[in-house]
Amino acid sequence: MARWFRSRGSEALSALGSGLWALAGSGLLAAALGAHVDAQAQEPVRFEVASVKLHPESGDTRVGIEDSEAFVRISNLPLRNVIAIAYGVMPENVAGPSWLARRRFDITATPPEGYQRAQLPAALRNLLADRFALAARRDAREGRGFALRIQAGGHRLRESAGPRTFLTGRAGLIAGNGRPIADLVPLLSQNVSAPVVDETALKGAYDLKLEWSEELSIFTALREQLGLRLEPITTPVETVVVTSIRETPTPD
């Protein structure tokens, strides 16, 4: 499956952090917060082969993740965002050296046999430990978030009858066919700058299209176009604190 995003800068990349962890569920919050993470000892899922390259300064603004049972490809992502995906947090909730937001990498990896989508965070954590000597700890606090719920009159989502397509996520537009609600959640988080918790219980695959503007807020568009709503809640906000990391990865 593929998730591609076009962006003019790293701030619009937070969708690739928050909740690609809608993809694996919220189990990361059950980890022992505040403890140092020993990825190698605790998480056996490892890529068989991985190439990690600094992204060339070509002016290309296309960024994204493409993954399947056979390969994982990450293109043009700041290392802060890769860490965010690995630990299931928003990129702004990764605390560490300022260069984490500036240095962008291309990663191509071969997963182990039997690899499943939900194993991507653990595999990335091991990769970051192996190639960047990343050490980190988790902290948590109560903060502002939103619950994604269905409107009283029912949702307006259209069940998908065709193949899955690329998922576009940028200011003013979220669009993609054959997508679960889990793929919508991180993009909503990006655009409201807060965690979003899925409380819809919807399990289908949908053709998503959500458009908004300065005149039409994302909150109103969500209600009118998809029959969903965002309601304020207090929710745990997890922060990952990078305690040590190499700026340059070990060679392939």
Side-chain angles (χ1 to χ4, degrees), residues 79-80 83 94-103 134-135 240-247:
L79 191 57
R80 184 180 72 164
I83 295 171
V94 174
S98 60
W99 58 261
L100 291 176
R102 298 194 302 268
R103 289 178 68 82
L134 171 66
V240 170
V241 179
V242 174
T243 55
S244 65
I245 190 170
R246 284 196 298 258
E247 191 167 352

Side-chain angles (χ1 to χ4, degrees), residues 21-202:
W21 280 169
L23 301 182
S26 58
L28 294 176
L29 292 177
L33 301 182
H36 284 278
V37 177
D38 185 348
Q40 282 187 315
Q42 297 178 13
E43 299 168 359
V45 181
R46 318 183 78 85
F47 294 122
E48 292 182 355
V49 179
S51 171
V52 182
K53 303 286 189 184
L54 193 65
H55 184 74
E57 295 293 335
S58 62
D60 182 11
T61 59
R62 192 182 193 212
V63 302
I65 300 176
E66 189 175 4
D67 64 317
S68 69
E69 294 179 357
F71 68 90
V72 172
R73 188 174 298 128
I74 296 175
S75 300
N76 195 15
L77 275 190
L79 191 57
R80 184 180 72 164
N81 292 67
V82 179
I83 295 171
I85 296 167
Y87 284 87
V89 299
M90 299 281 283
E92 54 264 35
N93 290 334
V94 174
S98 60
W99 58 261
L100 291 176
R102 298 194 302 268
R103 289 178 68 82
R104 296 166 176 260
F105 288 88
D106 296 333
I107 300 171
T108 304
T110 302
E113 184 177 355
Y115 169 80
Q116 298 178 8
R117 185 183 188 191
Q119 295 176 304
L120 178 61
L124 283 178
R125 287 194 291 272
N126 277 322
L127 177 70
L128 291 166
D130 292 343
R131 303 295 295 275
F132 292 90
L134 171 66
R137 70 173 190 272
R138 301 178 189 271
D139 291 331
R141 57 181 172 80
E142 290 294 304
R144 179 182 68 95
F146 293 93
L148 180 64
R149 295 167 177 160
I150 300 174
Q151 288 277 80
H155 69 76
R156 299 180 181 177
L157 294 161
R158 185 175 64 183
E159 291 270 1
S160 181
R164 179 178 300 208
T165 65
F166 286 144
L167 180 61
T168 298
R170 58 175 171 79
L173 177 65
I174 295 172
N177 293 343
R179 293 288 171 170
I181 294 299
D183 285 356
L184 174 64
V185 168
L187 298 177
L188 294 175
S189 295
Q190 169 197 349
N191 284 284
V192 300
S193 301
V196 173
V197 178
D198 178 17
E199 295 186 0
T200 65
L202 294 170

Side-chain angles (χ1 to χ4, degrees), residues 3 13 15 18 59 65 108 115 140 158 161 213 216 226 232 235 245:
R3 301 180 290 281
L13 297 176
S18 81
I65 300 176
T108 304
Y115 169 80
R158 185 175 64 183
S213 64
L216 179 69
L226 301 185
T235 186
I245 190 170

